[in-house]
Amino acid sequence: DYKLNLITWSATNQGEIRKILSDELHLSKREISRLKFDGKIMVGGRQVHVNDHMKVGETMTLVFSEDPKQVTKSLSVVPDILYEDDDVIVVNKPVGMVVHPAAGNESGTLVNALMFHCKDSLSGINGKLRPGIVHRIDKDTSGLLIIAKNDRAHLYLSEQLKDHTLARTYEAVVIGGLKEDKGTVNAPIGRSPKDRKKMAIVPDGRRAVTHYEVVEPLGRYTYLKLN
């Protein structure tokens, strides 16, 4: 059997599995029938039927009885597209999706989905593994990403990120309360000397300035808006 681990579905992609296979994964009726009778559809580690439904946050695995490359050329799913023109595409990346392929995450990434959706219309500045990617957010962070569809747009966006004329606003829930309703955190960030997998405030880190505003206190937590 051949297993294809697909992305974790966001809220807008929940629904009947048959409809998802058809509308989102672009499988034909023949391919869905072949998968139904000769393969397996797994959701949350259990086998399901095409008439079953997926819930938010669940992951679907398709098990084909033949090489899936012969069944369909791509099983990548583009998340919410909020805007698209000839130069850029703005997508809402869901929690659980990796932005671009890397060791251990060769498929099911945002780049896989974008290559399926945009075909050859992505900038090539960052090479074959990261076409169109101007900036990234972590796997477990949801949010908007601006993707460049040509090199000219990529250069303009990179310059705006560099000189901070492109503003980014985040929402977050943090542990604890804050003394002030508004404030600024201005401290250099780099690799933590205690844990190389984490970032921390370090003397020789890169300049990082974050302006915060309390939206709502939530008991032991605080809901913030960050720029």
Side-chain angles (χ1 to χ4, degrees):
D1 285 347
Y2 294 83
K3 290 187 178 182
L4 285 181
N5 290 303
L6 302 183
I7 70 168
T8 301
W9 296 89
S10 62
T12 55
N13 291 325
Q14 64 182 348
E16 186 186 42
I17 291 175
R18 185 194 303 273
K19 184 173 177 60
I20 290 172
L21 293 174
S22 174
D23 296 351
E24 304 291 344
L25 300 178
H26 308 292
L27 295 182
S28 67
K29 290 183 178 179
R30 179 171 175 270
E31 291 167 343
I32 294 174
S33 179
R34 182 181 301 168
L35 180 63
K36 173 183 174 182
F37 292 107
D38 298 331
K40 295 178 183 178
I41 306 171
M42 309 291 290
V43 174
R46 60 184 178 84
Q47 188 169 347
V48 298
H49 191 270
V50 291
N51 293 332
D52 292 336
H53 285 67
M54 288 188 66
K55 297 179 181 179
V56 177
E58 289 185 317
T59 302
M60 177 164 61
T61 301
L62 304 182
V63 184
F64 290 95
S65 59
E66 59 184 276
D67 188 339
K69 292 180 181 178
Q70 301 303 317
V71 179
T72 182
K73 292 183 179 180
S74 178
L75 290 175
S76 295
V77 182
V78 180
D80 300 342
I81 298 175
L82 302 186
Y83 177 81
E84 183 175 9
D85 58 25
D86 292 338
D87 296 308
V88 300
I89 177 171
V90 180
V91 299
N92 184 19
K93 188 193 82 67
V95 169
M97 179 182 252
V98 176
V99 172
H100 59 75
N105 291 290
E106 286 80 13
S107 62
T109 71
L110 178 63
V111 163
N112 295 129
L114 288 168
M115 291 177 68
F116 175 69
H117 175 75
C118 299
K119 303 300 188 286
D120 296 327
S121 299
L122 289 172
S123 77
I125 290 178
N126 276 338
K128 293 182 178 180
L129 289 180
R130 293 185 290 173
I133 300 301
V134 181
H135 63 117
R136 297 175 294 174
I137 54 179
D138 293 340
K139 175 183 176 181
D140 294 325
T141 301
S142 62
L144 304 186
L145 286 172
I146 304 177
I147 311 300
K149 298 179 73 174
N150 54 63
D151 290 355
R152 177 173 172 271
H154 196 133
L155 291 172
Y156 273 113
L157 289 170
S158 295
E159 190 62 32
Q160 290 174 47
L161 283 168
K162 184 178 179 179
D163 62 19
H164 301 290
T165 54
L166 191 157
R168 285 173 287 178
T169 300
Y170 295 87
E171 294 181 339
V173 175
V174 299
I175 298 173
L178 287 86
K179 294 180 180 179
E180 305 291 338
D181 288 339
K182 292 183 179 180
T184 299
V185 178
N186 187 347
I189 293 178
R191 292 285 180 185
S192 170
K194 297 180 180 179
D195 187 345
R196 298 297 295 173
K197 294 182 179 180
K198 295 182 178 181
M199 306 298 283
I201 295 174
V202 293
D204 58 347
R206 293 179 62 183
R207 180 172 180 266
V209 180
T210 300
H211 307 285
Y212 69 86
E213 180 179 352
V214 174
V215 178
E216 182 182 358
L218 301 170
R220 292 179 52 227
Y221 308 93
T222 306
Y223 173 25
L224 299 177
K225 182 176 288 185
L226 309 163
N227 289 284

